[in-house]
Amino acid sequence: MRMVDVIHNKRSGKELTEQEIQFFVDGVVSGDIPDYQISALLMAIYFQGMTEKEQSTLTMTMMTSGDHLDLSEIPGVKVDKHSTGGVGDKTSIPLAAVVAALGIPVPMISGRGLGHTGGTLDKLEAISGYRVEISEQDFIEQVKEDKLAIIGATGNIAPADKKIYALRDVTDTVDSIPLIASSIMSKKIASGADALVIDVKTGAGAFMKTLADSRELAEALVGIGKGVGMQCMALITDMNQPLGKAIGNALEIQESIELLKGNGPADLEKLIVVIGGYMAVMGNKATTVEQGQQLCEDVIHNGQALERFRAMIKDQGGDPRVIDDPEEILPQAKYRITLPAKTSGVVSKIVANEIGVASMLLGGGRQKANDKLDYAVGIMLNKKIGDSVEKGEPLLTIYSNRKKVDDIKSLLYGNIEIAKQAQKPKLIYETIG
Ligand code: URA
């Protein structure tokens, strides 16, 4: 087989055969196919798309290109959650503790930030000592004992995806639905959970800017999961404004702890309870989603979920005193600078991706892959869309380790609008699967 023929077939709109996809993935992993031919095929896929069969084959071939975790010695239905990512999206952290408190094992393998703000692992590493790299056997033992662990990929999960993702990043082929779906699902299937809820973010701060694209991605993800016998469903949720109030690694850990003490922002708690309700049904702890949601609310408000979080932090080497005294244990920024509203009215726009960029520029996210993060910095929103504001009242607080933040202020002013009136946006648009 010749790679140039595989490229030609896709470029001409043909469905690739299993052999062609296997040849491609093998060549990516072995290094036999040069980057320019991989990139050419990615661009052909970007323009021609892929059939359902091609997407499933690409997913499974990338999945089997590396290690596959065997979690069968953990009793019960293992339930995982994935988010396509957004600004202020710390949902996985408190959610894992909530679902674990229901007695459902949550073995979560997460990632780092791709741009904007940090990813789940970056946020957890704001807790001093927290280890995201633990052995597969320790991961399994911890999930048996605590019912949850959140770690980085162990060993060699989907190496083909690693190489392909790096090339997509520099060839502007990231936002291709078949490529996103196969990338996410190859890693999720390799991670060994039995059931998966996917939170597909939609809007300005998400990969998918429109509801139609988000729906197409959600359907592709769920189709691939169900195709391999996983219990799988997706929710399409809002990412026009940041989720919750905290953006920045330590600030998001602090907000997660507050949520687990029953004092979280309303939108974050609602999302956790809704997703947790589906996970409770998948994990056989509730017969209806409503009953599952009630159970999630109970463990948030009776402290049981907080205790799961404490156990996980302790067992992964983090300082568990962070639960009782987050301000003392988490890194703190030198300066807290408020951004006063220039007019009175109702907040009508907070452009999520630009707020993420502001946090990144303060040092909370990476501009280059190996940039070091400043865990302490970020933004704490004081107002969200639909909230009334008086002229001079703080819209938000900037947490910074540099004194001069005029660039950040003007970026933020340019991306927050105040109008005469505005509605609170919908949080959950659709469920799929
Ligand atoms: N996350 C992934 O793992 N892969 C993608 O392609 C996009 C988001």
Side-chain angles (χ1 to χ4, degrees):
M1 197 174 293
R2 294 186 324 152
M3 187 57 196
V4 69
D5 298 323
V6 179
I7 297 167
H8 177 82
N9 288 343
K10 182 69 333 202
R11 201 199 71 173
S12 320
K14 290 199 185 121
E15 182 178 68
L16 297 180
T17 64
E18 282 178 26
Q19 291 75 12
E20 284 174 319
I21 292 173
Q22 185 77 54
F23 170 79
F24 167 63
V25 172
D26 287 349
V28 169
V29 176
S30 67
D32 288 345
I33 303 177
D35 289 359
Y36 51 82
Q37 286 189 312
I38 301 173
S39 304
L41 183 65
L42 294 174
M43 192 58 84
I45 293 171
Y46 181 90
F47 282 112
Q48 294 291 358
M50 280 186 135
T51 63
E52 236 172 77
K53 181 156 172 265
E54 283 176 304
Q55 287 180 43
S56 300
T57 308
L58 179 59
T59 305
M60 292 314 283
T61 318
M62 289 207 293
M63 194 280 273
T64 51
S65 74
D67 298 338
H68 179 216
L69 260 65
D70 179 0
L71 304 181
S72 55
E73 66 175 276
I74 303 171
V77 182
K78 276 78 66 186
V79 184
D80 194 1
K81 174 257 178 186
H82 180 80
S83 163
T84 58
V87 178
D89 187 6
K90 71 285 290 172
T91 313
S92 292
I93 298 169
L95 174 67
V98 167
V99 176
L102 306 184
I104 299 170
V106 186
M108 202 176 265
I109 298 187
S110 293
R112 297 192 182 278
L114 295 172
H116 296 350
T117 50
T120 297
L121 299 183
D122 300 313
K123 293 167 197 182
L124 286 166
E125 281 181 339
I127 304 170
S128 86
Y130 190 94
R131 284 180 294 117
V132 300
E133 280 172 30
I134 63 178
S135 72
E136 191 174 322
Q137 198 50 43
D138 286 350
F139 177 57
I140 290 172
E141 290 306 323
Q142 189 182 312
V143 177
K144 279 195 201 161
E145 171 102 10
D146 295 339
K147 294 279 182 272
L148 85 161
I150 306 179
I151 64 166
T154 61
N156 194 27
I157 296 241
D161 175 66
K162 215 173 269 168
K163 173 87 199 242
I164 290 172
Y165 195 89
L167 287 172
R168 285 168 58 205
D169 211 18
V170 292
T171 56
D172 200 22
T173 49
V174 169
D175 57 343
S176 147
I177 287 173
L179 293 178
I180 296 175
S182 56
S183 165
I184 291 175
M185 293 307 288
S186 62
K187 288 175 287 198
K188 282 289 152 188
I189 296 166
S191 305
D194 306 306
L196 176 66
V197 180
I198 308 160
D199 182 5
V200 176
K201 296 289 183 199
T202 192
F207 267 126
M208 297 291 127
K209 311 283 182 214
T210 68
L211 194 53
D213 283 349
S214 308
R215 190 180 296 127
E216 199 181 327
L217 177 60
E219 282 168 354
L221 291 161
V222 171
I224 293 170
K226 287 193 169 167
V228 298
M230 232 181 183
Q231 285 192 70
C232 195
M233 57 102 43
L235 292 93
I236 301 177
T237 72
D238 186 66
M239 190 32 70
N240 283 301
Q241 66 174 338
L243 184 64
K245 293 187 170 172
I247 301 113
N249 299 291
L251 293 172
E252 292 188 46
I253 291 294
Q254 193 165 344
E255 185 166 81
S256 300
I257 293 169
E258 284 307 312
L259 185 130
L260 294 173
K261 290 179 177 171
N263 309 318
D267 58 346
L268 182 63
E269 178 163 336
K270 165 110 186 158
L271 189 63
I272 287 171
V273 166
V274 171
I275 298 179
Y278 287 104
M279 292 171 81
V281 173
M282 287 172 156
N284 295 329
K285 296 291 177 190
T287 46
T288 64
V289 177
E290 293 70 29
Q291 187 194 6
Q293 292 180 1
Q294 186 57 54
L295 293 173
C296 291
E297 273 175 23
D298 293 348
V299 295
I300 291 173
H301 293 278
N302 68 17
Q304 288 178 5
L306 187 69
E307 290 317 307
R308 287 297 91 221
F309 192 39
R310 189 196 303 269
M312 178 182 80
I313 292 170
K314 182 164 173 285
D315 285 352
Q316 287 187 234
D319 188 339
R321 291 175 304 162
V322 71
I323 298 287
D324 303 312
D325 213 349
E327 295 228 10
E328 190 59 38
I329 303 298
L330 291 169
Q332 300 294 312
K334 259 199 223 133
Y335 305 101
R336 295 182 184 191
I337 303 148
T338 55
L339 191 80
K342 289 181 177 171
T343 55
S344 298
V346 180
V347 178
S348 58
K349 209 174 207 187
I350 307 179
V351 183
N353 46 328
E354 297 303 329
I355 309 299
V357 169
S359 175
M360 180 186 74
L361 293 174
L362 288 164
R366 293 184 184 82
Q367 304 194 52
K368 294 190 298 304
N370 40 14
D371 279 353
K372 257 184 94 64
L373 296 181
D374 183 341
Y375 295 118
V377 301
I379 287 156
M380 187 64 91
L381 299 176
N382 196 34
K383 299 285 175 184
K384 299 220 30 179
I385 296 177
D387 288 346
S388 301
V389 61
E390 294 295 323
K391 184 176 173 184
E393 209 186 339
L395 289 166
L396 53 84
T397 304
I398 300 166
Y399 287 66
S400 173
N401 275 325
R402 54 176 157 109
K403 197 168 180 183
K404 283 193 73 68
V405 287
D406 292 349
D407 55 332
I408 305 294
K409 282 184 166 179
S410 59
L411 177 61
L412 292 169
Y413 272 129
N415 285 284
I416 298 179
E417 286 177 12
I418 297 171
K420 283 213 173 69
Q421 48 189 4
Q423 298 281 324
K424 282 206 176 293
K426 234 178 153 164
L427 179 64
I428 298 167
Y429 295 99
E430 286 177 20
T431 58
I432 287 177

